[in-house]
Every structure is written in structure tokens, then in C-alpha cells.
Amino acid sequence: MAQLYLHSQEIATVFDLLGHNENDITFSLGWAFTQSQSFQRRLLKNLFPEMDSGVATDINLQKHGGRHGGYTDIEITTDRSHFIIEAKRGMVLPGKEQLRKYFPRFKNRRLRAIVVMAEREPDLTQGNLPKSVRSVPVVYRSWKQVPRIGHKSIASEA
């Protein structure tokens, strides 16, 4: 396969073209979620393996919290669930105080979660993230896990 270069710099991933900051990665994930039903189903199943979490009806990037302030990176609502993705670039994880601010945003859905995504391997998050925030489960996925889900989606659509 031919190698792609931009200004003599090797382009290894699409982020080498689009950008590497936290918002670039987050916006790309939101876009992919809207473009592939297979990716959407697989990611939801990966996050909520024991339940049918429904089909996305609203996907919001950088949604402002109104009187609660702040922005969510990605907020996804389905007919059965509501979850917020807190995306981090690098190894830093959000603190419990930051995650608590999201609680008032949750709509009345029986399936709710805060999903933290960062570059840490999952086993390195033990003890560094709360298991829940005010009864809302906190789950973790590394950025390395997302492309694996995407590749399975591509294979199933082919």
C-alpha cells in the first residue's frame, strides 16, 4: 500500500490530516456514530452488553449544560438510554467532581451511563475512576478499543 505524506510528514491516521486535539477526536467519533448504524449498534452493545440500549435519536457534540454550566463532549440519547461520553486526550482522567456535574443532564431513561474515553489501557483505570456517580454507572473505554469496534462494523457491513 502507498504511504501518504503531507509536507514531508508521514500520515498514519486520519487525525494526522484532521487534527490531534481532544475536540478533533471527539467530533470524529460523533460523526462516525451518525454515519454507520453498524458502528452505532456495536458501540452501544459494547457499552451495555446486557441490555438493548435502543437506536440513537439525538447526538450532541459540545452541548452546553444551561444553568448547570459546562459542556459535554458527546451526549447521546436513544429511545431507551441516555449517555454522556467524556473524552480525554492523553492519560488524564476526569475527576469525580467533573463527572458529578453531568448528573442533572440525564433524562428519565432506565439505562444511563457516563462513558470516559482516554488513552489509558483499561486496567490502568482501576481505582482512578468512580464506579458510579449518583447511581449513574461510569464505564471506561480506551481510544484503542474504539477502532476495534469500528473494524468489526466495517466487516459486518461488507
Side-chain angles (χ1 to χ4, degrees), residues 35-155:
Q35 299 302 303
S36 172
Q37 288 289 323
S38 177
F39 177 69
Q40 185 183 124
R41 279 191 309 273
R42 285 183 182 276
L43 182 61
L44 289 170
K45 191 66 172 170
N46 182 275
L47 295 172
F48 309 110
E50 69 286 346
M51 301 182 89
D52 177 6
S53 55
V55 176
T57 55
D58 291 303
I59 301 168
N60 288 282
L61 304 174
Q62 296 286 306
K63 184 176 181 183
H64 189 264
R67 63 187 163 105
H68 303 293
Y71 291 88
T72 53
D73 291 322
I74 302 175
E75 197 164 335
I76 299 173
T77 306
T78 79
D79 53 337
R80 297 183 183 143
S81 64
H82 184 186
F83 64 101
I84 293 171
I85 297 176
E86 173 55 34
K88 294 291 186 188
R89 185 168 192 276
M91 304 294 263
V92 177
L93 299 174
K96 192 168 188 171
E97 287 304 312
Q98 179 182 357
L99 299 178
R100 269 193 200 135
K101 291 178 183 178
Y102 298 146
F103 182 78
R105 298 171 185 244
F106 283 102
K107 297 177 182 176
N108 291 329
R109 302 278 195 268
R110 71 184 167 119
L111 188 57
R112 309 178 292 177
I114 297 171
V115 180
V116 175
M117 291 185 173
E119 293 179 33
R120 284 187 187 206
E121 290 298 325
D123 57 332
L124 297 177
T125 64
Q126 298 295 333
N128 294 305
L129 279 176
K131 293 190 184 303
S132 65
V133 173
R134 294 186 175 178
S135 76
V136 176
V138 175
V139 298
Y140 179 80
R141 294 298 180 270
S142 76
W143 284 115
K144 288 182 180 178
Q145 291 173 296
V146 176
R148 291 182 202 137
I149 296 167
H151 285 104
K152 289 179 183 176
S153 301
I154 292 168

